[in-house]
Amino acid sequence: MYDEGYQRWRASARHLALFGEGLPDSIQPFSFVPMQGMEFVSSLLALSPGSTLVDFGCGRGGPGMWLAAQAGAGVIGVDSSKVAVADAASRQDLFPGLASARFVVADVADTGLPSGCADAVVSIDVLQLVPDPAAMVREITRVLKPGGRVVVTTWENTGVEVERFPSDIPGLFTEMSDVEVYGRPEWLPRQYAIYDAAVEADDGTDPAIADLAKEAKMIEPLRENSRRLVVTASRR
Ligand SMILES: C[S@@+](CC[C@H](N)C(=O)[O-])C[C@H]1O[C@@H](n2cnc3c(N)ncnc32)[C@H](O)[C@@H]1O
């Protein structure tokens, strides 16, 4: 479903520049976590050298590879887009500190990975997109080792009328322990600046910018009806 999008987005220098602003060039995310957010996620994961991080909805792999490389850890990325996964595999040399990297085309609710293969799990801006967030969290729990930690960035619905995002994100993690929720409203101005820049730049010549401008208009009513957050929890 995301393959056609990835073909357009990775071909647009303007789109890459908007998402990559303020981050190391290698990351090239299609997500809205700013640099201080990446550092915060890294501190919550507290990866050890040689440990294995599984990145749920890895996209083109940059955020997960950057996080693993900071600690000399390895990464296994999972995404349903074969275009994104092929890009991720071809980009691993950009992250010299990585212990290892491999990428799998699969659904985040059914990764096919062995149970307990992950020392830690990260998922950057994916949970709000999946049809069954509870199934994704069950799969995260299954692949984590006992005591292993997950860090998820997402948005939660707070309004009564707009239901694009899940409600009660912490409630998805009740089978896990040490659940912590961090509101991150300070990440939102950068996200909205990216949207505003896309709307202004959209002159019909760049399909990737047109996609982003369309998303910006769809998200507009959610600005008052959602909250930006990070959730972390441990497998019992
Ligand atoms: C907003 S992008 C974030 C990508 C990456 N985490 C990043 O930060 O650049 C969301 C990603 O989730 C993936 N995705 C959405 N639904 C999925 C599902 N059910 N199973 C696997 N991947 C999914 C998309 O293909 C896309 O790569």
Side-chain angles (χ1 to χ4, degrees):
M1 171 182 164
Y2 288 87
D3 281 345
E4 289 180 7
Y6 273 110
Q7 305 268 22
R8 293 191 293 276
W9 306 334
R10 68 180 185 177
S12 167
R14 189 181 259 175
H15 192 272
L16 290 169
L18 280 177
F19 275 101
E21 186 271 321
L23 296 164
D25 288 345
S26 54
I27 296 188
Q28 292 194 359
F30 287 135
S31 51
F32 291 103
V33 178
M35 193 59 210
Q36 77 266 28
M38 292 299 294
E39 285 160 355
F40 182 58
V41 170
S42 177
S43 73
L44 292 173
L45 286 169
L47 296 168
S48 306
S51 62
T52 298
L53 174 69
V54 176
D55 183 358
F56 273 59
C58 64
R60 299 174 72 240
M65 287 194 280
W66 184 87
L67 289 162
Q70 297 310 297
V75 68
I76 302 171
V78 179
D79 201 284
S80 55
S81 165
K82 60 182 186 311
V83 174
V85 161
D87 269 9
S90 73
R91 299 178 68 248
Q92 55 188 281
D93 290 348
L94 299 174
F95 301 87
L98 268 181
S100 61
R102 81 180 169 93
F103 296 92
V104 179
V105 179
D107 195 284
V108 289
D110 183 14
T111 62
L113 296 175
S115 298
C117 68
D119 295 291
V121 167
V122 72
S123 186
I124 306 285
D125 295 358
V126 178
L127 187 75
Q128 76 287 348
L129 298 173
V130 303
D132 187 350
M136 175 176 162
V137 174
R138 279 196 299 276
E139 182 68 354
I140 289 172
T141 308
R142 187 186 69 77
V143 303
L144 271 173
K145 289 179 180 158
R149 199 130 186 91
V150 57
V151 181
V152 170
T153 69
T154 190
W155 294 260
E156 179 178 66
N157 182 58
T158 55
V160 286
E161 290 173 19
V162 183
E163 293 189 355
R164 180 183 152 93
F165 298 141
S167 302
D168 188 19
I169 301 267
L172 296 170
F173 292 84
T174 50
E175 296 301 311
M176 302 182 83
S177 63
D178 307 322
V179 182
E180 305 269 6
V181 181
Y182 302 91
R184 280 294 175 267
E186 64 269 32
W187 294 2
L188 291 170
R190 177 178 177 274
Q191 176 187 345
Y192 297 155
I194 292 170
Y195 282 149
D196 292 345
V199 170
E200 192 170 324
D202 182 22
D203 58 7
T205 61
D206 183 335
I209 293 298
D211 286 348
L212 194 50
K214 189 174 163 194
E215 179 177 319
K217 287 171 190 158
M218 190 173 64
I219 293 294
E220 180 77 36
L222 291 171
R223 294 189 185 194
E224 301 301 319
N225 287 287
S226 62
R227 74 173 172 136
R228 184 65 159 135
L229 47 78
V230 180
V231 184
T232 180
S234 297
R235 181 170 170 193
R236 293 185 205 276

